[in-house]
Amino acid sequence: MILLVFFLMVLIQFIFSYLNISVDVIFIFVFWVNYRNNDIISLIYSFFAGLYMDFYYQFPFGVCSLAMTILSGIIANIKYKMDIEIIVSRFVSFITMNYIFNLLLFIFSLIVSSQNYFNLKFLYLPFINFFFFEIFKIAFEKVYNKKYSELL
Amino acid sequence: MKRTPLYNFLFYLFISISIFLIIIKPTRFVNSVRVFFSYIFDPSFVFKPLNYTSDIYEKMNSLILCSFKIKKFSDENFNLKSKMVFMESLINENKRFSEIIGLKKKLSHNGAFARIVSINVYNPYVSAYIDKGKNDGISLYNPVLSLLNGRWVLIGRVSEVYDNFSKIIFITAPGFSFIVDTNSSRGLLTSDGKKLIYKFIEGDLKLGDAVYSSKISLTFPPFLYVGNVVEIKGSSEFRNAYVDGFKLKDIDIVYVIDFKPYSEALEERL
């Protein structure tokens, strides 16, 4: 099932990039999977999603997988302390994680390649991501008519 | 929350793999994968999903064929480049030979081309050896010319002949003398070992006059160019002039004229 989610992520990412919609689909999926699955599956998923991201984006190779693995570790630490069923809690958690992820990408890229990858999109993109995250969440729950965790 | 050992192991394993990937920088591999997938997932996928799936084999096949062709052309390119290394020098040499052959047609004398193979290091303007000898038709006292600035210039004559090489003595050798003419004068050309001295006998002489072997010379055939007058010295009755001679560094190929001086030919006949 997790493989299906991965391929779905790749497909949606491909369609979004072709339609030129700047949404971080990979991050949305990683965040979702990390909150809905057990730690080990989430960690494996995050690493391979990061690896895919490395191939997809122009960051130094390995930076995205490193950032994703660390992000998965952070989420694994805090996810039992927050209830993302509440929208405010979900919003705070998502935005914070997205900023942390962007910051990790920026810092690692700066260390590895001495190039400044900072983009203004890093500031406002988390909010757009959250909007799409909500749409995906509703869509998933409507299609399967039950919680995503139960499917897995 | 307590982590399981498997989680910890995977976490550190993935961190290590990521850092390893950052360190080794597999740029070439990553770029190849990107090119491959960008080739496979072309935008026609969105509009022509059926064609997209049916074309995968052909696309992959063409990609592999392209790789082979690129390798083949790279090898070919490398071979051609290695051949081109000497191309420029060969073209220049060919051009020079063509020029020499063209100028040879202007010479009314028969003879043979030769190369200077050895020079007297201590007195370079005295004598040298050429790579042609008796077997190539070279005879004693044959005049030797060299192509300098597109013109055949008299530089010396053969003084010793061996089977496969000969020794030539330059006109700049001390004590070497012969009669020369300008357009309006006649004199004797000698050398002090450094400069060609034109000992003026009669007529008018001015700077820039071209000096040729005289038509009354017994040493050389007439009208062989020697040089130009560059300096005139002395009184109005007896004057010396300096003639610009050849430079050894400019001499590459020489032409040995099949000519026997009158006195030597006479001696042989007697």
Side-chain angles (χ1 to χ4, degrees), chain A residues 14 18 39-40 43-44 47 51 54-55 57-58 61-63 65-66 69-70 72-73 76-77 80 112, chain B residues 1 3-4 6-7 10-11 14-15 17-19 21-22 25-26 29-30 33-34 41 43 45-47:
Chain A
F14 175 74
Y18 184 71
D39 293 348
I40 291 171
L43 187 65
I44 294 168
F47 173 74
L51 211 57
D54 275 323
F55 278 106
Y57 292 113
Q58 293 296 322
F61 196 79
V63 162
S65 54
L66 182 65
T69 310
I70 292 171
S72 177
N77 271 321
Y80 297 110
V112 173
Chain B
M1 180 210 147
R3 299 276 174 80
T4 60
L6 179 62
Y7 180 88
L10 284 175
F11 183 77
F14 290 152
I15 293 280
I17 291 171
S18 302
I19 293 169
L21 289 172
I22 290 170
K25 291 182 183 172
F29 168 72
V30 172
V33 172
R34 280 174 181 161
F41 289 92
F45 170 67
V46 177
F47 302 107

Side-chain angles (χ1 to χ4, degrees), chain B residues 155-175:
Chain B
I155 61 166
R157 72 173 183 172
V158 177
S159 61
E160 292 172 26
V161 184
Y162 302 93
D163 286 345
N164 295 314
F165 65 96
S166 308
K167 183 181 180 181
I168 60 171
I169 184 163
F170 291 124
I171 57 172
T172 43

